Amino acid sequence: MTERVATTLGLYPLPDWAKDELSDLKGHQKGDLVDGDEGPGVREAYERVREELIEDQRAAGLDRIVEGQGRWDDFLAHPLAVHDAVETGGIVRYYDNNNFYRDPRVVDDLGASGDVPAELDTATGLLNEDESLQAVLPGPYTLAELATDEHYGDEAEFLHAIAEFLAGEVEALPAHETLFLLDPSLVTDPPEGEENERVSDAVDAVAAATDADVVLQSYWDAHEEKTYAHLMDADVDAFGFDFVAGDRDAHLYNVTEFGTKGSISLGLVDGQNTAVESADTVAERIDWVLDQIPSQTFDTVYATPNTELAYLPVSTYREKLSVLAEAAEIAPETEVSA
């Protein structure tokens, strides 16, 4: 029987109190990006943020708990932005929206930094015995695309170094049930030619660093055929598909033409729109997608937002967490409409 799991892609909005307090502590105007210099007051504030974000998920009833990534002001570029081998450059637009991050310029050899493992070590201490931790990291291709290489001098070598860095971070993680690799650049700026094979190898290298279930999640669009076909060679447990902003016909074509993994992750709640879906609507969307793939029975269906949730007001993000949790509990219908 297919298990339905309600979870998210992490990167939650900061509580309102934290925006004000952290802005004062860092000596910045509101909305500025952090400079990586975290004194005791900043660290203590982020600890309280982490506790609140975990409690939000607990209150909603999610099946997997993420750390929340309250410190990730640079979004998916964060693991590099705080790395000793990286110098942060100018402000860059984060994909095609009104959010920005600091350009991480890699200037030396990348090694595991331990930043994300430290976050998750702390998060683990906040979980109850019956709660399951989910780790969240950028996928290797996205992290390479968001960064600037000023050290390796070769695209293939740089992607390999990024993958090895992420694999080192994964190896140092505390016990976790699932690992979500967020790789939206795979669809917004897809690899070309032989790069597709290198990307698949890079994803495989990161996934091999954990015994947990690994979900490779892209969003905002659908994979090009060649990219998707190569990704099928990567040893991950599930692909994630954006059924909100993405081309659902293209998703279904790839799945039926090239197959897919034994589990599937479905982005069905809009992570960038304040309109709150009903749990019944989300459950119907799950049923509809599965009805389009009658030849396959999945071990697990992950019900997620289609993107990170940092774009939403705090009250809306909390509502959407509850919607996901409730939708995953609704029994499948035998007949649903699109």
Side-chain angles (χ1 to χ4, degrees), residues 15-297:
D16 292 334
W17 67 262
K19 295 175 186 177
D20 295 334
E21 186 169 326
L22 286 165
S23 178
D24 291 341
L25 286 167
K26 295 172 186 176
H28 284 253
Q29 294 296 317
K30 292 181 183 177
D32 283 356
L33 298 169
V34 302
D35 59 9
D37 182 15
E38 296 179 358
V42 172
R43 289 194 295 271
E44 191 273 335
Y46 278 130
E47 288 173 3
R48 285 186 283 135
V49 167
R50 182 183 297 111
E51 292 173 3
E52 188 165 324
L53 298 182
I54 288 176
E55 182 54 39
D56 287 343
Q57 296 168 81
R58 180 177 293 132
L62 292 183
D63 298 304
R64 298 286 187 275
I65 303 293
V66 301
E67 189 268 341
Q69 293 77 44
R71 291 175 57 236
W72 290 31
D73 298 296
D74 295 296
F75 293 91
L76 294 180
H78 169 85
L80 284 184
V82 297
H83 198 288
D84 289 342
V86 174
E87 296 177 357
T88 51
I91 303 300
V92 184
R93 184 178 293 276
Y94 184 70
Y95 295 98
D96 188 21
N97 57 45
N98 292 322
N99 295 276
F100 301 86
Y101 69 101
R102 298 169 300 166
D103 176 24
R105 297 184 289 116
V106 178
V107 297
D108 204 346
D109 287 344
L110 290 172
S113 72
D115 183 80
V116 175
E119 288 182 334
L120 292 189
D121 278 336
T122 305
T124 298
L126 300 173
L127 299 186
N128 298 326
E129 290 185 0
D130 61 342
E131 292 175 331
S132 298
L133 179 69
Q134 176 177 300
V136 174
L137 278 168
Y141 181 70
T142 284
L143 193 55
E145 288 293 295
L146 292 176
T148 299
D149 175 24
E150 296 186 357
H151 176 66
Y152 292 93
D154 177 81
E155 288 186 4
E157 186 178 352
F158 186 53
L159 179 61
H160 177 75
I162 292 287
E164 290 298 304
F165 157 64
L166 288 172
E169 293 292 281
V170 171
E171 288 175 352
L173 293 176
H176 50 288
E177 186 83 8
T178 47
L179 167 63
F180 268 60
L181 298 176
L182 309 186
D183 222 328
S185 290
L186 286 171
V187 297
T188 63
D189 187 18
E192 299 178 354
E194 294 181 356
E195 190 179 15
N196 281 289
E197 185 174 352
R198 295 197 296 269
V199 169
S200 180
D201 290 342
V203 171
D204 202 51
V206 180
T210 180
D211 293 329
D213 291 334
V214 179
V215 181
L216 180 67
Q217 188 106 4
S218 296
Y219 37 100
W220 291 318
D221 213 333
H223 291 294
E224 292 189 353
E225 291 181 37
K226 188 171 185 178
T227 298
Y228 186 88
H230 276 283
L231 288 173
M232 278 296 294
D233 293 331
D235 190 17
V236 299
D237 298 278
F239 291 141
F241 303 95
D242 181 346
F243 275 90
V244 175
D247 183 339
R248 67 183 187 179
D249 291 333
H251 291 320
L252 294 172
Y253 172 82
N254 284 334
V255 169
T256 55
E257 183 72 15
F258 303 106
T260 194
K261 301 296 183 175
S263 296
I264 192 169
S265 180
L266 305 177
L268 299 170
V269 168
D270 196 329
Q272 296 183 285
N273 191 310
T274 56
V276 178
E277 303 84 348
S278 72
D280 286 338
T281 295
V282 175
E284 288 175 1
R285 290 173 180 175
I286 297 172
D287 293 336
W288 182 86
V289 174
L290 298 184
D291 283 351
Q292 309 311 303
I293 317 171
S295 61
Q296 184 158 351
T297 299

